[in-house]
Amino acid sequence: MIVSNFDIAIIGAGPAGCSAALTLRNSNCSVALFEKSSFPRNKICGDGICDRSINTLKEINPSYLEEFLNTQKALRIKKAEIGYKNRSYSMDVTSFGYTCRRLDFDNFLFSLVQRDAKNVSVFQNCGISRVERTDNGFYLYSKNGEMFSTKMLLVCNGASSMIARELTGSKLDKSNMGVAVRAYYSGVKDLKNDTIELYFKKKYFPGYLWIFPMADGTTNVGFGCLVKDLKDDIRSIFEKWIAYDEKLRSRFAEAKSVSPLVGGLIPYNVDKFDCFGDNFCVCGDAANLIDPVTGGGIGNAMASGYYAAQVAEKCVLNGNFSKTETEKYSKMLQKRIGRDIHTRFVLTRLIMKHRWLLPVCLRLWKKGVV
Ligand SMILES: Cc1cc2nc3c(=O)[nH]c(=O)nc-3n(C[C@H](O)[C@H](O)[C@H](O)COP(=O)(O)OP(=O)(O)OC[C@H]3O[C@@H](n4cnc5c(N)ncnc54)[C@H](O)[C@@H]3O)c2cc1C
């Protein structure tokens, strides 16, 4: 039994899904947003909200950025301290953006959808377990036993999305899959409220250990790297690093973790955009859009949701959902984030092959050359 028909269905209400829903708020399309959890829900993250996230929010609606800054606890980041061996590189990062807890940031986006997108029916606690192709789009089956139909599908359900893999035919690329853990700490010494810290080791590159100050006085501390570079349990690498590192151990001597150490997947982009087909687009982590150098994905997730929604709206208007139409989404992505991803992908591969290049690149980065 079909519960409702929609023009556009979005699976997942993270940054990608909410950006898509917000982009469609003034359209004439009937939209459904399905989310397996209920908000506010937490997301394991470093909480670094980069400039692409901020710029996309502004593009969706300039007043949303103002509202974010006026209502959310966020720290403006102006500097980065990069540690490598015994050297420290300090640089201005005017484009980094903010730190803000994902619990708050994602809930902020979700609340905007609920408040402003009257054409979007929101289904919380409604995980989509299966989609089935029909002549006019898809049937969606929820874990609660309901069934919906849609002409256009935006798959935004994160790094573990089986639906994305089934639709695009892509396989889980284990060699480019990263993993990261993070915990919140109190009492970390010598923090600066406008400075993020990143610590590299050759063997884990592009992975790194991060120390991000948060507006509530806690610190988000984490470590991530490619799964294939892990020779030990990731939690133990992280804990040993902060406990024994010459520079960090005194700063963490009296620090206490105020949350469990938890982890998640990092699907690094490999300079490919397998993200469209007849009646569907895939966005954010489900399309492996994570930056190959920084491991950040919120900005690309939001940008991809924003572009996919524009293409989906046109498909509905023209009654044409063929892959020649949805390919326009992939082309927008290529144009807006493809060059960045390409440069960073090539740079990462180069450093991974010739690890001695890492300090050279850090020096060039400091001088603003790369
Ligand atoms: C430890 C760690 C640290 C990170 N640090 C940063 C950082 O500092 N900065 C940064 O930019 N990026 C960071 N990232 C990456 C960032 O978290 C992701 O790139 C970003 O969350 C992607 O957004 P998304 O909307 O694509 O997916 P998600 O944020 O994962 O959202 C997907 C949503 O879909 C829902 N969902 C899943 N399956 C279903 C289903 N079947 N039906 C309905 N709903 C479903 C989920 O509940 C979730 O709400 C980090 C990742 C990790 C693991």
Side-chain angles (χ1 to χ4, degrees), residues 110-283:
F110 185 75
S111 310
L112 292 178
V113 175
Q114 286 191 308
R115 187 189 72 192
D116 293 352
K118 302 291 178 231
N119 58 332
V120 177
S121 307
V122 176
F123 299 84
Q124 298 193 69
N125 295 313
C126 189
I128 298 299
S129 51
R130 191 164 70 84
V131 303
E132 183 183 310
R133 199 173 264 291
T134 65
D135 290 343
N136 305 315
F138 291 96
Y139 289 144
L140 276 64
Y141 298 89
S142 81
K143 289 179 183 155
N144 313 331
E146 296 141 320
M147 181 182 170
F148 305 86
S149 82
T150 185
K151 295 174 192 155
M152 181 74 194
L153 182 61
L154 302 184
V155 182
C156 306
N157 64 331
S160 319
S161 178
M162 292 303 293
I163 297 171
R165 274 180 218 126
E166 269 164 32
L167 291 179
T168 58
S170 62
K171 298 219 161 61
L172 181 71
D173 183 357
K174 284 190 186 148
S175 62
N176 291 299
M177 187 56 82
V179 62
V181 288
R182 73 100 176 93
Y184 292 102
Y185 281 79
S186 67
V188 180
K189 281 192 204 143
D190 301 331
L191 287 171
K192 291 183 200 123
N193 263 353
D194 63 352
T195 306
I196 52 164
E197 298 172 49
L198 311 176
Y199 294 89
F200 286 93
K201 283 186 183 174
K202 264 187 203 166
K203 61 179 172 181
Y204 297 128
F205 182 85
Y208 55 83
L209 181 128
W210 71 82
I211 301 178
F212 288 2
M214 303 305 300
D216 62 4
T218 61
T219 313
N220 183 321
V221 190
F223 165 68
C225 68
L226 284 162
V227 175
K228 68 181 167 68
D229 290 337
L230 279 177
K231 303 282 179 267
D232 197 355
D233 172 53
I234 187 165
R235 288 181 174 78
S236 120
I237 298 173
F238 169 80
E239 276 156 4
K240 281 184 196 154
W241 197 332
I242 57 173
Y244 301 117
D245 181 270
E246 224 173 276
K247 283 200 171 152
L248 298 182
R249 69 172 175 230
S250 60
R251 294 179 59 197
F252 279 86
E254 280 155 41
K256 284 199 174 63
S257 67
V258 291
S259 77
L261 183 64
V262 279
L265 291 175
I266 310 264
Y268 286 105
N269 189 275
V270 289
D271 209 11
K272 270 207 247 162
F273 298 93
D274 294 330
C275 55
F276 66 94
D278 291 334
N279 304 78
F280 77 87
C281 295
V282 184
C283 309

Side-chain angles (χ1 to χ4, degrees), residues 1 9 17 51 66 74 86 97 104-105 125 131 153 238-239 243 262 317-318 324 361:
M1 183 200 66
D51 58 339
E66 229 169 274
N86 291 325
D104 299 329
F105 184 71
N125 295 313
V131 303
L153 182 61
F238 169 80
E239 276 156 4
V262 279
L317 269 177
N318 302 330
T324 5
C361 285

